[in-house]
Amino acid sequence: MNEETIFSNIGTKERGITIKSPREIDAMRKAGEVVAKTLQLLTESVRPGMKTAELDEIAYKEILRLGAKPSFKGYLGFPRTICVSINEEIVHGIPGNRVLNDGDIVSIDIGAIVNGFHGDHAVTIGVGNIPSDKSDLIKATKEALSRGIAAATDGARTGDIGWAVQSYSEEMGYSVVREYVGHGIGKSLHEEPQVPNYGTPGSGTLLKKGMVIAIEPMLNIGSWETTLLDDNWTVVTSDGSLSAHFEHTLLITEGEAEVLTKL
Ligand code: MG
């Protein structure tokens, strides 16, 4: 499912760009902390032989223990707390009976709600020992996110973020996924503006202090084209090449953005 589909499902009222009040930003800091803590616990829990549903169970319990609610469970019918996407899976994999194997790379994406506001965060990690082509991809995707965050400041445009992510990623020899993008976030998990991981400097939506966005580069070793599996959620690379994904939720300020999903 692409972001266009998501937007068309949540209705026009929730689509606009919002500037958050200090009270709302405070709730978003708390939501960010919950997802960061939970994702850290998941990262520490990953081991070969584990079912992806076990990670989901850990996440669900931890989010509730921290006094929050999962954002994804029930969102447009998504059945679980986290998205788990392995190897050639890009995003939106559904946790289940699949077992994590030594040498896999796994993207874990998580969202939580505190006082009505969402936090959204993802990392890709190696399971057990991974070969260097996989660790290089993970390292580059993490760096691509950092480049995107560095470009996200009051007065910049979404195209500046996209260009920062794309130019670095392509220089490193990877492609960036086009059909799934970052997004505004707040009372709704997905708000305007869309934040593509490709673009032209100076183009796109103007970023203003008080906006909160999620930047989430997805890098592929092969081509950027994607295929949606029959479960209608799991997105894979069309050529079967490996993919990695990192995401942070951040507050736009006059200086460096404040990353809300960091401990
Ligand atoms: Mg997101």
Side-chain angles (χ1 to χ4, degrees):
M1 175 168 306
N2 66 35
E3 296 286 332
E4 288 299 334
T5 314
I6 286 168
F7 284 132
S8 68
N9 274 299
I10 60 176
T12 51
K13 229 171 85 182
E14 297 176 318
R15 293 182 60 178
I17 295 174
T18 56
I19 301 291
K20 273 70 181 180
S21 70
R23 185 191 61 79
E24 293 171 335
I25 291 166
D26 189 49
M28 297 201 76
R29 283 195 185 103
K30 287 178 182 147
E33 191 183 348
V34 168
V35 289
K37 280 183 174 168
T38 307
L39 194 47
Q40 187 178 54
L41 175 64
L42 295 174
T43 300
E44 290 162 4
S45 305
V46 164
R47 61 178 192 280
M50 188 177 208
K51 283 181 183 168
T52 55
E54 292 177 61
L55 284 175
D56 190 71
E57 194 61 28
I58 292 169
Y60 182 67
K61 285 182 181 156
E62 184 67 2
I63 287 173
L64 295 189
R65 193 185 73 79
L66 294 169
K69 286 187 294 187
S71 299
F72 301 170
K73 205 177 173 74
Y75 182 78
L76 306 176
F78 189 78
R80 296 285 195 159
T81 297
I82 57 173
C83 297
V84 180
S85 308
I86 303 166
N87 297 332
E88 80 287 357
E89 296 174 353
I90 302 169
V91 285
H92 304 164
I94 304 172
N97 288 324
R98 183 161 172 188
V99 170
L100 297 175
N101 291 314
D102 187 66
D104 283 342
I105 58 170
V106 56
S107 150
I108 306 173
D109 193 347
I110 181 166
I113 312 170
V114 172
N115 297 334
F117 286 84
H118 294 267
D120 194 0
H121 182 26
V123 295
T124 298
I125 58 169
V127 181
N129 296 306
I130 56 169
S132 62
D133 61 332
K134 291 181 173 176
S135 54
D136 288 348
L137 171 66
I138 289 174
K139 208 173 131 195
T141 310
K142 194 174 182 181
E143 177 61 22
L145 173 57
S146 297
R147 303 275 176 125
I149 293 170
T153 188
D154 182 275
R157 290 182 180 269
T158 51
D160 297 317
I161 298 173
W163 170 247
V165 171
Q166 180 185 14
S167 58
Y168 169 77
S169 305
E170 291 181 352
E171 196 178 295
M172 297 300 287
Y174 302 108
S175 66
V176 291
V177 169
R178 314 288 170 100
E179 293 157 300
Y180 300 86
V181 298
H183 49 92
I185 177 169
K187 269 186 190 165
S188 300
L189 181 59
H190 297 106
E191 297 183 352
E192 296 284 2
Q194 295 199 26
V195 184
N197 298 301
Y198 59 93
T200 309
S203 71
T205 303
L206 183 66
L207 301 172
K208 290 185 185 151
K209 186 180 159 189
M211 283 171 60
V212 179
I213 59 170
I215 303 179
E216 48 179 320
M218 293 148 247
L219 269 59
N220 300 346
I221 284 184
S223 101
W224 54 266
E225 282 144 315
T226 69
T227 300
L228 181 65
L229 296 188
D230 286 343
D231 64 14
N232 266 322
W233 282 105
T234 312
V235 180
V236 299
T237 56
S238 296
D239 61 7
S241 68
L242 294 165
S243 184
H245 173 219
F246 279 81
E247 176 176 25
H248 271 308
T249 298
L250 47 122
L251 169 69
I252 303 298
T253 73
E254 279 163 357
E256 206 174 295
E258 179 186 336
V259 177
L260 303 178
T261 43
K262 215 181 217 173
L263 291 177

